[in-house]
DNA sequence: CCCAAACCTTACGTTAACGTGAGGGTTTGG
DNA sequence: CCAAACCCTCACGTTAACGTAAGGTTTGGG
């Protein structure tokens, strides 16, 4: 009872099934298709430790335990973990992911749950678009810098000391890309 | 001499000036325009501690110290720090940023230095484009999920238990967006 | 000249996301 | 049925990027 130090959704919470799935893949495999943690780790590219952590954080849940207390997961957990990986690689923290999953309301109302998810994903969409904008801007800056540097390496003629770049006569624009300026020291 | 535990570029390294700047802003203010750490912090939105850290990591450098050892930075450090912030917000770690700055070769050859930077930025551009692709994919998934959920909240009619979503007859597609599937529990 | 505000160095604390054993059961192929 | 391969539960270690506090010096306006 006092064992869990982490913010975990009550283990007693009914394992909510949210939004229908007509998709066939998710309905099969009732009992035998269960994975032990090692197999799950291998198939998801995560470590056993990571999977344990995710469980502690309430991000995943094992269907049941073997007689010897081995965790047994069903296949859909792979989907969940891949999703987690994706979210992570995009910049979400585990606690943010936790937030997403917790957001699946407790009240057993499909409409309310759907609305909550909608609200959440709308916010996420805005955040994602902001990140996209930033990255695009960086892409542009990188391209500009490469362009600038290209001129340096092809049009500059004889090599010279870096300090002489101060009086460069090769570059036509007087605009030095931020990524070049930023990388400079003064 | 044994005081620095961090990977710092040799303090003795000549403060390299890389690539010319015709831009007027960077040529002015010889001595009086210096900023104390507090002012720099305020103008960049960083904390004093962070700035000290950046200095220890060799990401920035104070022009000189006052008689009482106060750090005095020149204006261009603001540019550098804003650049650092941008890089961070996009997902680069301080040590990666360190890598970028270290990459400004020691050999005093403008051509070689330019080539190094080029190589580096080319890699970065690829990485950035990969991240962009991932984010775009996520954007699409979010949009699809919102679309799916929109149908739930508007076309579904009477409210019902979440578990009944399993036999949904409202959704026309049999494809449940990953972000909805991923958020489900089984 | 005086004192509050700002700065200095040193060093321990913190959150995140696992890594890495320790000590001890469980499974399973041969 | 037995050893190798897995798994379990603690629980402390680690890296990153600062936060925070302690104890002392420097600045600058009144």
């Amino acid at each position: 009872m006092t064992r869990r130090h982490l913010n975990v959704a009550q283990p007693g919470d009914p394992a909510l099934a949210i939004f229908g799935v007509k998709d066939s893949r998710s309905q099969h495999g009732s009992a035998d298709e269960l994975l032990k943690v090692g197999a799950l780790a291998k198939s998801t590219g995560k470590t056993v430790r990571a999977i344990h952590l995710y469980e502690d954080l309430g991000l995943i849940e094992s269907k049941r335990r073997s007689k010897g207390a081995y965790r047994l997961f069903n296949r859909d957990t792979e989907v969940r973990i891949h999703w987690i990986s994706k979210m992570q690689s995009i910049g979400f923290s585990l606690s943010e992911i936790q937030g997403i999953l917790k957001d699946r309301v407790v009240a057993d109302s499909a409409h309310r749950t759907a609305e909550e998810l909608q609200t959440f994903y709308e916010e996420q969409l805005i955040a994602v678009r902001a990140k996209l904008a930033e990255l695009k801007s960086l892409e542009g800056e990188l391209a500009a810098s490469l362009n600038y540097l290209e001129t340096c390496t092809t049009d500059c003629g004889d090599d010279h000391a870096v300090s002489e770049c101060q009086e460069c006569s090769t570059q036509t624009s007087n605009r030095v890309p931020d990524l070049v300026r930023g990388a400079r020291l003064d």
Side-chain angles (χ1 to χ4, degrees), chain A:
Chain A
M1 263 154 194
T2 60
R3 301 216 320 274
R4 288 177 182 280
H5 316 16
L6 297 157
N7 290 326
V8 185
Q10 297 298 341
D13 285 358
L16 303 176
I18 301 193
F19 301 107
V21 180
K22 294 177 179 175
D23 195 75
S24 63
R25 289 170 306 188
S26 38
Q27 206 63 359
H28 69 17
S30 54
D32 53 302
E33 295 267 16
L34 298 179
L35 297 171
K36 280 183 288 185
V37 70
L40 183 59
K42 210 155 296 180
S43 84
T44 57
K46 292 285 180 179
T47 65
V48 170
R49 178 69 175 96
I51 292 179
H52 285 166
L53 177 65
Y54 297 165
E55 188 186 16
D56 283 345
L57 291 172
L59 306 185
I60 61 176
E61 204 176 322
S62 64
K63 182 95 180 180
R64 57 188 189 82
R65 295 292 190 106
S66 77
K67 212 175 351 185
Y70 281 26
R71 270 163 263 253
L72 299 173
F73 300 91
N74 52 20
R75 276 270 141 68
D76 287 18
T77 307
E78 290 183 341
V79 176
R80 172 71 63 87
I81 291 181
H82 280 128
W83 172 71
I84 292 173
S85 299
K86 188 161 195 178
M87 297 298 273
Q88 279 188 304
S89 81
I90 284 161
F92 292 89
S93 70
L94 291 186
S95 76
E96 286 174 311
I97 295 175
Q98 212 178 48
I100 300 181
L101 296 177
K102 268 190 187 162
D103 230 47
R104 300 161 309 123
V105 177
V106 177
D108 194 20
S109 154
H111 282 186
R112 275 212 51 196
T113 306
E115 279 163 22
E116 298 271 337
L117 269 181
Q118 248 181 307
T119 304
F120 188 85
Y121 283 148
E122 274 161 15
E123 285 167 19
Q124 295 308 312
L125 187 54
I126 291 174
V128 164
R129 285 183 172 149
K131 282 190 185 183
L132 269 173
E134 276 190 297
L135 274 178
K136 277 178 188 163
S137 135
L138 181 62
E139 188 191 18
E141 289 181 38
L142 279 170
S145 297
L146 283 173
N147 190 44
Y148 185 97
L149 293 171
E150 183 64 23
T151 301
C152 290
T153 53
T154 64
D155 298 355
C156 179
D158 298 336
D159 197 4
H160 55 73
V162 171
S163 54
E164 293 174 29
C165 288
Q166 297 275 14
E167 300 95 40
C168 180
S169 57
T170 304
Q171 294 290 341
T172 55
S173 161
N174 63 348
R175 171 83 189 131
V176 182
D178 280 357
L179 283 181
V180 177
R181 281 199 67 193
R184 262 185 29 211
L185 276 186
D186 312 287

